[in-house]
Amino acid sequence: MDAFLIKGPSRLSGTLRASGAKNAALPAMAAALLTDAPVTLEEVPDLADVDTMTRLLEGMGVLVATPAPSRRIVDASRVTSTEAPYDLVRTMRASILVLGPLVARFGEARVSLPGGCAIGVRPVDLHLRALEALGARIAVEKGYIHAHVSRVGRGTGRLTGTTIRFPSPTVTGTENVLFAATLARGTTVIENAAREPEVEDVALLLTRMGARVTGAGTPTITVEGVERLSGTGPSPHTIVPDRIEAGTYLAAGAITGGDVTVSRARARDLGAFLDALRRAGAGVETTEDGVRVFASRPLEGVDIETAPHPGFPTDLQAQFLALMTQAKGTSRLVETIFENRFLHAVELARLGADVRVEGRTALVRGPSKLEGAPVTASDLRASAALVLAGLVARGETLVRRIYHLDRGYAAMDQRLRSLGASVERIDG
Ligand code: UD1
């Protein structure tokens, strides 16, 4: 199994270009199921999760072409199956994103129920209740979600627009309803919708395809259903830059006392995170084409609490915790989104970090002198935190099970090397 061997400490400096966002590329690929015309996407990141989504779509008879490394043409003109099998769904929870499009276009879907994962239970009850409200009949049998829309007359069953109010914002839940509503009869209003930039990006793509969507990026999204959607036409839809990848490399700049610029990163998507970096004493600058983070004064501990966008993203909590091990004083990190998202704390402690976890709160005391050791990655973002710590730890840190990292970071070893880190991918 692949591992990263990191020799530290190092000081990172240089410029990287942000990849397209994983969490926008996956729903964009699923959106192509809504139409029989080709959907062309640009800035699709080279990630294991994108390969998994490709396999999932291909299993349904969808053609996915790669005419250039970051370009995909997704052609769902000949869908032969409306099933998402357990073997693929269990490796990638985002597979649930095919549910809304399949029900909307074909009036039926059979999607394996995603299980829990390392960071928590992660139910999809809100997705299912919303689709029911739109008129789908949902049954869960033998681990599969069966969704069906009754026909009226000939043809496939069609969903009916309604008002859906989420009790709390859900990102993929909002996207699934958005997909379903584009082809529904009448108007759908999504209240308390997720406001993440990736939701906005997906809405932009749907609009390109002929959907009538307003309010994406705000808590209320309105969708006027149309009879059919088209493809993207001659020019592709460009996936929004990955704010989590950008934030991770900016944190790498800060933790190593270096100077890192991520071009194409959008400061407005990273507001709460950049604000926390500033409060911690890092230099933060918005450049013409991105964001720069550099050492300015010794880091100081700051408190953060994760929250739905525009709050501090849960997907950057682990990386920020790693950073706080190098800050003076005590930092209090509260995780409000997922119930078990401090698995990295125990591993960071093996490198010498002083972290105490009590329920949904982590208390970090720093600065700690970290020493290299073997550590094991538990999930995608936790793995990134271990790599960040490895960059400042003295000696060799072996981060095991980096298949988690490959799900969400393209060529992380190469990219860190380009900034001056000593990172090797080995079999370990
Ligand atoms: C998405 C992101 C993930 C990020 C998360 C939170 C993708 C592919 N993944 O995941 O990287 O960590 O947003 O920003 O975009 N919940 C329910 N019932 C549901 C749905 C969600 O109880 O039906 C709960 C979850 O358990 C969690 C919270 O709502 O506590 C937020 O989850 P949600 O926003 O849905 O996360 P994902 O869309 O799975």
Side-chain angles (χ1 to χ4, degrees):
M1 225 179 273
D2 281 7
F4 277 178
L5 179 65
I6 306 172
K7 289 184 192 148
S10 56
R11 190 180 163 278
L12 303 198
S13 70
T15 300
L16 290 178
R17 185 174 180 279
S19 312
K22 165 176 95 69
N23 288 351
L26 299 176
M29 292 174 76
L33 281 169
L34 287 162
T35 174
D36 60 6
V39 168
T40 307
L41 305 170
E42 191 61 73
E43 294 292 348
V44 176
D46 183 17
L47 300 173
D49 271 11
V50 167
D51 297 341
T52 305
M53 183 58 91
T54 302
R55 269 189 288 144
L56 183 63
L57 293 173
E58 285 174 346
M60 297 173 183
V62 176
L63 301 173
V64 184
T66 307
S70 65
R71 185 174 280 218
R72 295 289 184 287
I73 303 173
V74 189
D75 176 349
S77 55
R78 277 191 213 121
V79 171
T80 50
S81 150
T82 52
E83 177 170 329
Y86 175 65
D87 271 353
L88 289 172
V89 178
R90 78 186 164 84
T91 63
M92 185 182 72
R93 294 183 48 83
S95 307
I96 191 74
L97 287 164
V98 301
L99 181 61
L102 288 175
V103 177
R105 179 161 159 222
F106 302 104
E108 61 172 37
R110 192 165 173 268
V111 176
S112 169
L113 205 56
C117 68
I119 64 175
V121 184
R122 304 188 73 177
V124 290
D125 55 322
L126 301 177
H127 302 228
L128 302 189
R129 259 190 268 159
L131 291 174
E132 271 175 344
L134 289 166
R137 274 192 291 128
I138 308 268
V140 178
E141 275 164 28
K142 296 188 181 153
Y144 274 79
I145 303 160
H146 296 257
H148 183 81
V149 190
S150 304
R151 293 177 195 191
V152 183
R154 294 172 64 220
T156 50
R158 194 167 170 204
L159 297 166
T160 309
T162 186
T163 295
I164 285 155
R165 185 176 174 79
F166 283 119
S168 58
T170 153
V171 177
T172 48
T174 300
E175 290 164 348
N176 252 334
V177 175
L178 198 53
F179 293 149
T182 56
L183 291 178
R185 196 179 289 115
T187 305
T188 301
V189 180
I190 312 173
E191 295 178 351
N192 206 16
R195 296 156 67 184
E196 270 68 0
E198 295 77 20
V199 174
E200 244 184 294
D201 195 49
V202 168
L204 207 65
L205 166 63
L206 292 171
T207 307
R208 280 277 304 274
M209 293 163 63
R212 302 218 185 106
V213 183
T214 53
T218 79
T220 308
I221 304 178
T222 305
V223 186
E224 307 262 357
V226 295
E227 292 229 345
R228 51 184 294 136
L229 293 177
S230 61
T232 42
S235 63
H237 168 75
T238 302
I239 304 290
V240 70
D242 194 322
R243 64 198 164 96
I244 306 301
E245 182 202 42
T248 302
Y249 289 116
L250 293 172
I255 198 171
T256 62
D259 188 342
V260 170
T261 299
V262 180
S263 65
R264 252 169 49 88
R266 304 197 307 191
R268 68 171 184 279
D269 292 347
L270 281 160
F273 173 72
L274 296 180
D275 181 53
L277 283 183
R278 272 193 202 99
R279 284 190 286 129
V284 177
E285 214 177 77
T286 307
T287 64
E288 211 171 284
D289 175 34
V291 180
R292 172 183 172 219
V293 167
F294 53 98
S296 132
R297 57 184 165 89
L299 295 172
E300 272 174 51
V302 294
D303 299 342
I304 57 130
E305 189 170 313
T306 63
H309 194 75
F312 192 102
T314 174
D315 282 353
L316 283 171
Q317 175 262 106
Q319 300 86 321
F320 198 77
L321 194 152
L323 179 66
M324 287 299 97
T325 67
Q326 301 308 299
K328 187 162 178 280
T330 303
S331 330
R332 192 165 171 270
L333 282 67
V334 182
E335 173 57 57
T336 71
I337 310 288
F338 295 113
E339 64 269 25
N340 192 25
R341 207 172 195 182
F342 285 124
L343 296 170
H344 41 287
V346 193
E347 294 297 298
L348 288 171
R350 301 194 61 249
L351 298 174
D354 182 350
V355 192
R356 213 175 68 226
V357 176
E358 281 167 15
R360 292 190 174 217
T361 303
L363 291 172
V364 188
R365 273 199 317 197
S368 298
K369 279 210 158 47
L370 303 184
E371 297 284 340
V375 285
T376 303
S378 55
D379 70 75
L380 169 54
R381 308 303 171 186
S383 316
L386 297 177
V387 170
L388 294 184
L391 295 173
V392 280
R394 181 165 302 279
E396 291 190 353
T397 299
L398 185 70
V399 183
R400 294 209 167 106
R401 299 204 181 188
I402 49 127
Y403 62 84
H404 291 294
L405 275 176
D406 293 333
R407 288 190 40 217
Y409 294 93
M412 191 186 228
D413 47 340
Q414 280 174 36
R415 306 197 90 196
L416 286 171
R417 275 200 300 277
S418 78
L419 297 174
S422 164
V423 183
E424 295 301 326
R425 182 184 286 261
I426 63 166
D427 187 15

